[in-house]
PDB file of all heavy atoms in Angstrom:
ATOM      1  N   LEU A  23      87.730 100.757 113.045  1.00  0.00           N
ATOM      2  CA  LEU A  23      88.643 101.962 112.964  1.00  0.00           C
ATOM      3  C   LEU A  23      88.329 102.856 114.279  1.00  0.00           C
ATOM      4  O   LEU A  23      87.358 102.594 115.001  1.00  0.00           O
ATOM      5  CB  LEU A  23      88.331 102.861 111.779  1.00  0.00           C
ATOM      6  CG  LEU A  23      86.840 103.271 111.382  1.00  0.00           C
ATOM      7  CD1 LEU A  23      86.308 104.406 112.246  1.00  0.00           C
ATOM      8  CD2 LEU A  23      86.840 103.675 109.930  1.00  0.00           C
ATOM      9  N   VAL A  38      90.722 116.452 108.499  1.00  0.00           N
ATOM     10  CA  VAL A  38      90.799 115.091 108.965  1.00  0.00           C
ATOM     11  C   VAL A  38      92.130 114.445 108.583  1.00  0.00           C
ATOM     12  O   VAL A  38      92.578 114.692 107.435  1.00  0.00           O
ATOM     13  CB  VAL A  38      89.607 114.268 108.278  1.00  0.00           C
ATOM     14  CG1 VAL A  38      89.618 112.856 108.724  1.00  0.00           C
ATOM     15  CG2 VAL A  38      88.292 114.903 108.552  1.00  0.00           C
ATOM     16  N   VAL A  40      93.884 110.693 108.309  1.00  0.00           N
ATOM     17  CA  VAL A  40      93.642 109.249 108.385  1.00  0.00           C
ATOM     18  C   VAL A  40      94.978 108.587 108.251  1.00  0.00           C
ATOM     19  O   VAL A  40      95.703 108.704 107.264  1.00  0.00           O
ATOM     20  CB  VAL A  40      92.671 108.844 107.268  1.00  0.00           C
ATOM     21  CG1 VAL A  40      92.544 107.321 107.275  1.00  0.00           C
ATOM     22  CG2 VAL A  40      91.395 109.583 107.282  1.00  0.00           C
ATOM     23  N   VAL A  71      91.877 109.673 112.506  1.00  0.00           N
ATOM     24  CA  VAL A  71      91.272 108.351 112.238  1.00  0.00           C
ATOM     25  C   VAL A  71      92.429 107.446 112.016  1.00  0.00           C
ATOM     26  O   VAL A  71      93.320 107.767 111.250  1.00  0.00           O
ATOM     27  CB  VAL A  71      90.333 108.342 111.001  1.00  0.00           C
ATOM     28  CG1 VAL A  71      89.749 106.986 110.833  1.00  0.00           C
ATOM     29  CG2 VAL A  71      89.199 109.369 111.209  1.00  0.00           C
ATOM     30  N   PHE A  73      92.883 102.867 111.439  1.00  0.00           N
ATOM     31  CA  PHE A  73      91.995 101.704 111.162  1.00  0.00           C
ATOM     32  C   PHE A  73      92.768 100.457 111.100  1.00  0.00           C
ATOM     33  O   PHE A  73      94.069 100.475 110.921  1.00  0.00           O
ATOM     34  CB  PHE A  73      91.148 101.900 109.906  1.00  0.00           C
ATOM     35  CG  PHE A  73      91.909 102.272 108.682  1.00  0.00           C
ATOM     36  CD1 PHE A  73      92.402 101.172 107.911  1.00  0.00           C
ATOM     37  CD2 PHE A  73      92.201 103.473 108.329  1.00  0.00           C
ATOM     38  CE1 PHE A  73      93.088 101.373 106.721  1.00  0.00           C
ATOM     39  CE2 PHE A  73      92.852 103.718 107.036  1.00  0.00           C
ATOM     40  CZ  PHE A  73      93.382 102.697 106.349  1.00  0.00           C
ATOM     41  N   LEU A 101      94.251  96.001 100.672  1.00  0.00           N
ATOM     42  CA  LEU A 101      94.041  97.314  99.903  1.00  0.00           C
ATOM     43  C   LEU A 101      92.579  97.658  99.866  1.00  0.00           C
ATOM     44  O   LEU A 101      92.201  98.796 100.062  1.00  0.00           O
ATOM     45  CB  LEU A 101      94.734  97.184  98.588  1.00  0.00           C
ATOM     46  CG  LEU A 101      95.076  98.558  97.807  1.00  0.00           C
ATOM     47  CD1 LEU A 101      96.110  99.287  98.726  1.00  0.00           C
ATOM     48  CD2 LEU A 101      95.738  98.171  96.465  1.00  0.00           C
ATOM     49  N   ARG A 102      91.734  96.683  99.591  1.00  0.00           N
ATOM     50  CA  ARG A 102      90.324  96.918  99.468  1.00  0.00           C
ATOM     51  C   ARG A 102      89.740  97.382 100.848  1.00  0.00           C
ATOM     52  O   ARG A 102      88.921  98.161 100.894  1.00  0.00           O
ATOM     53  CB  ARG A 102      89.597  95.670  99.008  1.00  0.00           C
ATOM     54  CG  ARG A 102      89.922  95.261  97.563  1.00  0.00           C
ATOM     55  CD  ARG A 102      89.277  93.887  97.176  1.00  0.00           C
ATOM     56  NE  ARG A 102      89.812  93.423  95.952  1.00  0.00           N
ATOM     57  CZ  ARG A 102      89.256  93.700  94.763  1.00  0.00           C
ATOM     58  NH1 ARG A 102      88.145  94.402  94.662  1.00  0.00           N
ATOM     59  NH2 ARG A 102      89.771  93.132  93.622  1.00  0.00           N
ATOM     60  N   ASP A 103      90.337  96.744 101.909  1.00  0.00           N
ATOM     61  CA  ASP A 103      89.874  97.210 103.342  1.00  0.00           C
ATOM     62  C   ASP A 103      90.202  98.685 103.516  1.00  0.00           C
ATOM     63  O   ASP A 103      89.401  99.355 104.072  1.00  0.00           O
ATOM     64  CB  ASP A 103      90.656  96.356 104.344  1.00  0.00           C
ATOM     65  CG  ASP A 103      90.225  94.912 104.343  1.00  0.00           C
ATOM     66  OD1 ASP A 103      89.108  94.575 103.817  1.00  0.00           O
ATOM     67  OD2 ASP A 103      90.977  94.063 104.839  1.00  0.00           O
ATOM     68  N   GLN A 104      91.351  99.114 103.031  1.00  0.00           N
ATOM     69  CA  GLN A 104      91.726 100.499 103.226  1.00  0.00           C
ATOM     70  C   GLN A 104      90.795 101.444 102.427  1.00  0.00           C
ATOM     71  O   GLN A 104      90.408 102.489 102.980  1.00  0.00           O
ATOM     72  CB  GLN A 104      93.166 100.685 102.749  1.00  0.00           C
ATOM     73  CG  GLN A 104      94.192 100.017 103.626  1.00  0.00           C
ATOM     74  CD  GLN A 104      95.567  99.754 102.967  1.00  0.00           C
ATOM     75  OE1 GLN A 104      95.773 100.308 101.906  1.00  0.00           O
ATOM     76  NE2 GLN A 104      96.404  99.111 103.570  1.00  0.00           N
ATOM     77  N   VAL A 105      90.431 101.062 101.214  1.00  0.00           N
ATOM     78  CA  VAL A 105      89.487 101.913 100.447  1.00  0.00           C
ATOM     79  C   VAL A 105      88.115 101.922 101.202  1.00  0.00           C
ATOM     80  O   VAL A 105      87.472 102.972 101.330  1.00  0.00           O
ATOM     81  CB  VAL A 105      89.304 101.286  99.027  1.00  0.00           C
ATOM     82  CG1 VAL A 105      88.137 102.030  98.314  1.00  0.00           C
ATOM     83  CG2 VAL A 105      90.622 101.528  98.221  1.00  0.00           C
ATOM     84  N   ALA A 106      87.731 100.800 101.747  1.00  0.00           N
ATOM     85  CA  ALA A 106      86.428 100.738 102.532  1.00  0.00           C
ATOM     86  C   ALA A 106      86.464 101.665 103.655  1.00  0.00           C
ATOM     87  O   ALA A 106      85.495 102.330 104.058  1.00  0.00           O
ATOM     88  CB  ALA A 106      86.087  99.350 102.981  1.00  0.00           C
ATOM     89  N   ALA A 107      87.613 101.730 104.375  1.00  0.00           N
ATOM     90  CA  ALA A 107      87.767 102.687 105.515  1.00  0.00           C
ATOM     91  C   ALA A 107      87.640 104.128 105.078  1.00  0.00           C
ATOM     92  O   ALA A 107      87.044 104.939 105.709  1.00  0.00           O
ATOM     93  CB  ALA A 107      89.087 102.423 106.211  1.00  0.00           C
ATOM     94  N   LEU A 108      88.324 104.426 103.938  1.00  0.00           N
ATOM     95  CA  LEU A 108      88.223 105.804 103.374  1.00  0.00           C
ATOM     96  C   LEU A 108      86.836 106.124 102.968  1.00  0.00           C
ATOM     97  O   LEU A 108      86.394 107.343 103.130  1.00  0.00           O
ATOM     98  CB  LEU A 108      89.160 105.966 102.306  1.00  0.00           C
ATOM     99  CG  LEU A 108      90.677 105.954 102.671  1.00  0.00           C
ATOM    100  CD1 LEU A 108      91.613 105.820 101.423  1.00  0.00           C
ATOM    101  CD2 LEU A 108      91.027 107.157 103.448  1.00  0.00           C
ATOM    102  N   GLU A 109      86.061 105.180 102.464  1.00  0.00           N
ATOM    103  CA  GLU A 109      84.697 105.421 102.082  1.00  0.00           C
ATOM    104  C   GLU A 109      83.816 105.692 103.328  1.00  0.00           C
ATOM    105  O   GLU A 109      83.012 106.582 103.295  1.00  0.00           O
ATOM    106  CB  GLU A 109      84.081 104.191 101.362  1.00  0.00           C
ATOM    107  CG  GLU A 109      84.716 104.057  99.985  1.00  0.00           C
ATOM    108  CD  GLU A 109      84.316 102.805  99.231  1.00  0.00           C
ATOM    109  OE1 GLU A 109      83.855 101.893  99.942  1.00  0.00           O
ATOM    110  OE2 GLU A 109      84.438 102.749  98.042  1.00  0.00           O
ATOM    111  N   TRP A 110      84.154 104.952 104.434  1.00  0.00           N
ATOM    112  CA  TRP A 110      83.420 105.231 105.704  1.00  0.00           C
ATOM    113  C   TRP A 110      83.694 106.634 106.163  1.00  0.00           C
ATOM    114  O   TRP A 110      82.743 107.292 106.658  1.00  0.00           O
ATOM    115  CB  TRP A 110      83.840 104.162 106.715  1.00  0.00           C
ATOM    116  CG  TRP A 110      83.081 104.246 108.013  1.00  0.00           C
ATOM    117  CD1 TRP A 110      81.989 103.447 108.280  1.00  0.00           C
ATOM    118  CD2 TRP A 110      83.257 105.198 109.072  1.00  0.00           C
ATOM    119  NE1 TRP A 110      81.545 103.869 109.500  1.00  0.00           N
ATOM    120  CE2 TRP A 110      82.278 104.854 110.103  1.00  0.00           C
ATOM    121  CE3 TRP A 110      84.171 106.169 109.422  1.00  0.00           C
ATOM    122  CZ2 TRP A 110      82.123 105.544 111.178  1.00  0.00           C
ATOM    123  CZ3 TRP A 110      84.132 106.849 110.583  1.00  0.00           C
ATOM    124  CH2 TRP A 110      83.115 106.534 111.481  1.00  0.00           C
ATOM    125  N   VAL A 111      84.939 107.018 106.101  1.00  0.00           N
ATOM    126  CA  VAL A 111      85.312 108.334 106.541  1.00  0.00           C
ATOM    127  C   VAL A 111      84.543 109.459 105.696  1.00  0.00           C
ATOM    128  O   VAL A 111      83.942 110.407 106.320  1.00  0.00           O
ATOM    129  CB  VAL A 111      86.809 108.638 106.361  1.00  0.00           C
ATOM    130  CG1 VAL A 111      87.134 110.120 106.484  1.00  0.00           C
ATOM    131  CG2 VAL A 111      87.589 107.801 107.351  1.00  0.00           C
ATOM    132  N   GLN A 112      84.371 109.257 104.383  1.00  0.00           N
ATOM    133  CA  GLN A 112      83.643 110.184 103.613  1.00  0.00           C
ATOM    134  C   GLN A 112      82.167 110.267 103.960  1.00  0.00           C
ATOM    135  O   GLN A 112      81.576 111.347 104.064  1.00  0.00           O
ATOM    136  CB  GLN A 112      83.735 109.846 102.132  1.00  0.00           C
ATOM    137  CG  GLN A 112      85.074 110.038 101.467  1.00  0.00           C
ATOM    138  CD  GLN A 112      85.367 111.581 101.335  1.00  0.00           C
ATOM    139  OE1 GLN A 112      84.521 112.340 100.820  1.00  0.00           O
ATOM    140  NE2 GLN A 112      86.540 112.005 101.842  1.00  0.00           N
ATOM    141  N   GLU A 113      81.647 109.181 104.345  1.00  0.00           N
ATOM    142  CA  GLU A 113      80.208 109.150 104.640  1.00  0.00           C
ATOM    143  C   GLU A 113      79.843 109.511 106.086  1.00  0.00           C
ATOM    144  O   GLU A 113      78.779 110.015 106.315  1.00  0.00           O
ATOM    145  CB  GLU A 113      79.677 107.627 104.442  1.00  0.00           C
ATOM    146  CG  GLU A 113      79.752 107.202 103.010  1.00  0.00           C
ATOM    147  CD  GLU A 113      79.525 105.687 102.855  1.00  0.00           C
ATOM    148  OE1 GLU A 113      79.171 105.062 103.884  1.00  0.00           O
ATOM    149  OE2 GLU A 113      79.592 105.229 101.697  1.00  0.00           O
ATOM    150  N   ASN A 114      80.771 109.418 107.021  1.00  0.00           N
ATOM    151  CA  ASN A 114      80.480 109.575 108.393  1.00  0.00           C
ATOM    152  C   ASN A 114      81.296 110.559 109.191  1.00  0.00           C
ATOM    153  O   ASN A 114      80.833 110.962 110.278  1.00  0.00           O
ATOM    154  CB  ASN A 114      80.688 108.216 109.096  1.00  0.00           C
ATOM    155  CG  ASN A 114      79.683 107.199 108.564  1.00  0.00           C
ATOM    156  OD1 ASN A 114      78.523 107.116 108.910  1.00  0.00           O
ATOM    157  ND2 ASN A 114      80.256 106.363 107.755  1.00  0.00           N
ATOM    158  N   ILE A 115      82.365 111.081 108.707  1.00  0.00           N
ATOM    159  CA  ILE A 115      83.318 111.860 109.506  1.00  0.00           C
ATOM    160  C   ILE A 115      82.706 113.279 109.906  1.00  0.00           C
ATOM    161  O   ILE A 115      83.138 113.848 110.901  1.00  0.00           O
ATOM    162  CB  ILE A 115      84.654 112.084 108.764  1.00  0.00           C
ATOM    163  CG1 ILE A 115      85.758 112.234 109.832  1.00  0.00           C
ATOM    164  CG2 ILE A 115      84.635 113.140 107.746  1.00  0.00           C
ATOM    165  CD1 ILE A 115      85.906 111.188 110.791  1.00  0.00           C
ATOM    166  N   ALA A 116      81.742 113.758 109.088  1.00  0.00           N
ATOM    167  CA  ALA A 116      81.126 115.104 109.427  1.00  0.00           C
ATOM    168  C   ALA A 116      80.529 115.061 110.777  1.00  0.00           C
ATOM    169  O   ALA A 116      80.463 116.078 111.547  1.00  0.00           O
ATOM    170  CB  ALA A 116      80.177 115.543 108.358  1.00  0.00           C
ATOM    171  N   PHE A 118      81.568 113.728 113.409  1.00  0.00           N
ATOM    172  CA  PHE A 118      82.599 113.930 114.320  1.00  0.00           C
ATOM    173  C   PHE A 118      83.248 115.281 114.306  1.00  0.00           C
ATOM    174  O   PHE A 118      84.210 115.561 114.952  1.00  0.00           O
ATOM    175  CB  PHE A 118      83.641 112.804 114.297  1.00  0.00           C
ATOM    176  CG  PHE A 118      83.056 111.404 114.501  1.00  0.00           C
ATOM    177  CD1 PHE A 118      82.520 110.731 113.462  1.00  0.00           C
ATOM    178  CD2 PHE A 118      83.022 110.894 115.788  1.00  0.00           C
ATOM    179  CE1 PHE A 118      82.072 109.408 113.575  1.00  0.00           C
ATOM    180  CE2 PHE A 118      82.565 109.575 115.986  1.00  0.00           C
ATOM    181  CZ  PHE A 118      81.962 108.926 114.900  1.00  0.00           C
ATOM    182  N   ASP A 121      85.792 117.488 108.124  1.00  0.00           N
ATOM    183  CA  ASP A 121      85.384 117.889 106.763  1.00  0.00           C
ATOM    184  C   ASP A 121      85.789 116.837 105.765  1.00  0.00           C
ATOM    185  O   ASP A 121      86.943 116.574 105.468  1.00  0.00           O
ATOM    186  CB  ASP A 121      86.117 119.155 106.441  1.00  0.00           C
ATOM    187  CG  ASP A 121      85.759 119.718 105.029  1.00  0.00           C
ATOM    188  OD1 ASP A 121      84.927 119.070 104.235  1.00  0.00           O
ATOM    189  OD2 ASP A 121      86.334 120.719 104.650  1.00  0.00           O
ATOM    190  N   PRO A 122      84.783 116.085 105.149  1.00  0.00           N
ATOM    191  CA  PRO A 122      85.082 115.034 104.209  1.00  0.00           C
ATOM    192  C   PRO A 122      85.887 115.492 103.018  1.00  0.00           C
ATOM    193  O   PRO A 122      86.457 114.700 102.324  1.00  0.00           O
ATOM    194  CB  PRO A 122      83.757 114.476 103.892  1.00  0.00           C
ATOM    195  CG  PRO A 122      82.755 115.459 104.226  1.00  0.00           C
ATOM    196  CD  PRO A 122      83.369 116.295 105.368  1.00  0.00           C
ATOM    197  N   GLY A 123      85.795 116.747 102.723  1.00  0.00           N
ATOM    198  CA  GLY A 123      86.563 117.357 101.572  1.00  0.00           C
ATOM    199  C   GLY A 123      87.944 117.748 101.898  1.00  0.00           C
ATOM    200  O   GLY A 123      88.693 118.210 101.025  1.00  0.00           O
ATOM    201  N   VAL A 125      90.571 115.619 103.708  1.00  0.00           N
ATOM    202  CA  VAL A 125      91.047 114.500 104.351  1.00  0.00           C
ATOM    203  C   VAL A 125      92.470 114.363 103.851  1.00  0.00           C
ATOM    204  O   VAL A 125      92.788 114.385 102.667  1.00  0.00           O
ATOM    205  CB  VAL A 125      90.236 113.203 103.926  1.00  0.00           C
ATOM    206  CG1 VAL A 125      90.992 111.990 104.440  1.00  0.00           C
ATOM    207  CG2 VAL A 125      88.868 113.315 104.534  1.00  0.00           C
ATOM    208  N   LEU A 127      95.465 111.668 103.927  1.00  0.00           N
ATOM    209  CA  LEU A 127      95.839 110.274 104.135  1.00  0.00           C
ATOM    210  C   LEU A 127      97.341 110.173 104.296  1.00  0.00           C
ATOM    211  O   LEU A 127      98.117 110.710 103.530  1.00  0.00           O
ATOM    212  CB  LEU A 127      95.471 109.521 102.848  1.00  0.00           C
ATOM    213  CG  LEU A 127      95.834 107.949 102.877  1.00  0.00           C
ATOM    214  CD1 LEU A 127      95.048 107.245 103.954  1.00  0.00           C
ATOM    215  CD2 LEU A 127      95.620 107.359 101.515  1.00  0.00           C
ATOM    216  N   LEU A 140      97.470 103.599  96.983  1.00  0.00           N
ATOM    217  CA  LEU A 140      96.090 104.054  96.888  1.00  0.00           C
ATOM    218  C   LEU A 140      95.964 105.296  95.936  1.00  0.00           C
ATOM    219  O   LEU A 140      94.912 105.505  95.311  1.00  0.00           O
ATOM    220  CB  LEU A 140      95.622 104.454  98.253  1.00  0.00           C
ATOM    221  CG  LEU A 140      95.302 103.283  99.175  1.00  0.00           C
ATOM    222  CD1 LEU A 140      95.124 103.730 100.644  1.00  0.00           C
ATOM    223  CD2 LEU A 140      94.006 102.513  98.758  1.00  0.00           C
ATOM    224  N   VAL A 143      95.095 103.726  92.834  1.00  0.00           N
ATOM    225  CA  VAL A 143      93.878 102.871  92.808  1.00  0.00           C
ATOM    226  C   VAL A 143      92.615 103.756  92.384  1.00  0.00           C
ATOM    227  O   VAL A 143      92.273 104.658  93.082  1.00  0.00           O
ATOM    228  CB  VAL A 143      93.618 102.287  94.209  1.00  0.00           C
ATOM    229  CG1 VAL A 143      92.253 101.575  94.191  1.00  0.00           C
ATOM    230  CG2 VAL A 143      94.675 101.243  94.513  1.00  0.00           C
ATOM    231  N   PRO A 144      92.090 103.591  91.202  1.00  0.00           N
ATOM    232  CA  PRO A 144      90.978 104.381  90.808  1.00  0.00           C
ATOM    233  C   PRO A 144      89.796 104.440  91.787  1.00  0.00           C
ATOM    234  O   PRO A 144      89.212 105.546  92.012  1.00  0.00           O
ATOM    235  CB  PRO A 144      90.466 103.713  89.502  1.00  0.00           C
ATOM    236  CG  PRO A 144      91.611 103.044  88.973  1.00  0.00           C
ATOM    237  CD  PRO A 144      92.468 102.566  90.175  1.00  0.00           C
ATOM    238  N   ALA A 145      89.520 103.371  92.499  1.00  0.00           N
ATOM    239  CA  ALA A 145      88.396 103.349  93.459  1.00  0.00           C
ATOM    240  C   ALA A 145      88.723 104.308  94.682  1.00  0.00           C
ATOM    241  O   ALA A 145      87.771 104.672  95.334  1.00  0.00           O
ATOM    242  CB  ALA A 145      88.219 101.917  93.922  1.00  0.00           C
ATOM    243  N   ALA A 146      90.009 104.623  94.860  1.00  0.00           N
ATOM    244  CA  ALA A 146      90.286 105.553  95.923  1.00  0.00           C
ATOM    245  C   ALA A 146      90.305 106.997  95.619  1.00  0.00           C
ATOM    246  O   ALA A 146      90.494 107.874  96.442  1.00  0.00           O
ATOM    247  CB  ALA A 146      91.671 105.140  96.572  1.00  0.00           C
ATOM    248  N   HIS A 147      90.293 107.272  94.327  1.00  0.00           N
ATOM    249  CA  HIS A 147      90.338 108.736  93.885  1.00  0.00           C
ATOM    250  C   HIS A 147      89.099 109.501  94.430  1.00  0.00           C
ATOM    251  O   HIS A 147      87.954 109.038  94.351  1.00  0.00           O
ATOM    252  CB  HIS A 147      90.367 108.825  92.368  1.00  0.00           C
ATOM    253  CG  HIS A 147      91.688 108.293  91.790  1.00  0.00           C
ATOM    254  ND1 HIS A 147      92.080 108.415  90.456  1.00  0.00           N
ATOM    255  CD2 HIS A 147      92.827 107.751  92.430  1.00  0.00           C
ATOM    256  CE1 HIS A 147      93.248 107.901  90.211  1.00  0.00           C
ATOM    257  NE2 HIS A 147      93.738 107.489  91.367  1.00  0.00           N
ATOM    258  N   GLY A 148      89.317 110.625  94.948  1.00  0.00           N
ATOM    259  CA  GLY A 148      88.285 111.455  95.463  1.00  0.00           C
ATOM    260  C   GLY A 148      88.073 111.196  96.947  1.00  0.00           C
ATOM    261  O   GLY A 148      87.245 111.900  97.617  1.00  0.00           O
ATOM    262  N   LEU A 149      88.703 110.161  97.556  1.00  0.00           N
ATOM    263  CA  LEU A 149      88.398 109.859  98.936  1.00  0.00           C
ATOM    264  C   LEU A 149      89.416 110.553  99.899  1.00  0.00           C
ATOM    265  O   LEU A 149      89.236 110.543 101.099  1.00  0.00           O
ATOM    266  CB  LEU A 149      88.546 108.367  99.196  1.00  0.00           C
ATOM    267  CG  LEU A 149      87.628 107.492  98.367  1.00  0.00           C
ATOM    268  CD1 LEU A 149      87.762 106.057  98.650  1.00  0.00           C
ATOM    269  CD2 LEU A 149      86.186 107.853  98.724  1.00  0.00           C
ATOM    270  N   PHE A 150      90.417 111.209  99.375  1.00  0.00           N
ATOM    271  CA  PHE A 150      91.352 112.054 100.191  1.00  0.00           C
ATOM    272  C   PHE A 150      91.836 113.299  99.323  1.00  0.00           C
ATOM    273  O   PHE A 150      91.944 113.165  98.074  1.00  0.00           O
ATOM    274  CB  PHE A 150      92.447 111.279 100.796  1.00  0.00           C
ATOM    275  CG  PHE A 150      93.247 110.392  99.719  1.00  0.00           C
ATOM    276  CD1 PHE A 150      94.445 110.938  99.152  1.00  0.00           C
ATOM    277  CD2 PHE A 150      92.820 109.196  99.332  1.00  0.00           C
ATOM    278  CE1 PHE A 150      95.088 110.196  98.232  1.00  0.00           C
ATOM    279  CE2 PHE A 150      93.538 108.458  98.464  1.00  0.00           C
ATOM    280  CZ  PHE A 150      94.700 108.962  97.839  1.00  0.00           C
ATOM    281  N   PHE A 238      91.363  96.317  90.170  1.00  0.00           N
ATOM    282  CA  PHE A 238      91.398  97.200  91.319  1.00  0.00           C
ATOM    283  C   PHE A 238      92.659  98.011  91.303  1.00  0.00           C
ATOM    284  O   PHE A 238      92.666  99.244  91.622  1.00  0.00           O
ATOM    285  CB  PHE A 238      91.329  96.329  92.636  1.00  0.00           C
ATOM    286  CG  PHE A 238      91.011  97.195  93.817  1.00  0.00           C
ATOM    287  CD1 PHE A 238      89.711  97.616  94.114  1.00  0.00           C
ATOM    288  CD2 PHE A 238      91.973  97.425  94.774  1.00  0.00           C
ATOM    289  CE1 PHE A 238      89.422  98.318  95.156  1.00  0.00           C
ATOM    290  CE2 PHE A 238      91.680  98.197  95.865  1.00  0.00           C
ATOM    291  CZ  PHE A 238      90.412  98.637  96.119  1.00  0.00           C
TER     292      PHE A 238
END
Side-chain angles (χ1 to χ4, degrees):
L23 54 75
V38 182
V40 179
V71 180
F73 58 85
L101 199 61
R102 293 173 191 269
D103 293 341
Q104 294 164 6
V105 171
L108 290 169
E109 290 173 340
W110 188 96
V111 169
Q112 285 295 307
E113 295 169 3
N114 298 280
I115 205 64
F118 298 90
D121 178 0
V125 174
L127 177 67
L140 286 167
V143 172
H147 289 187
L149 299 181
F150 53 95
F238 193 77

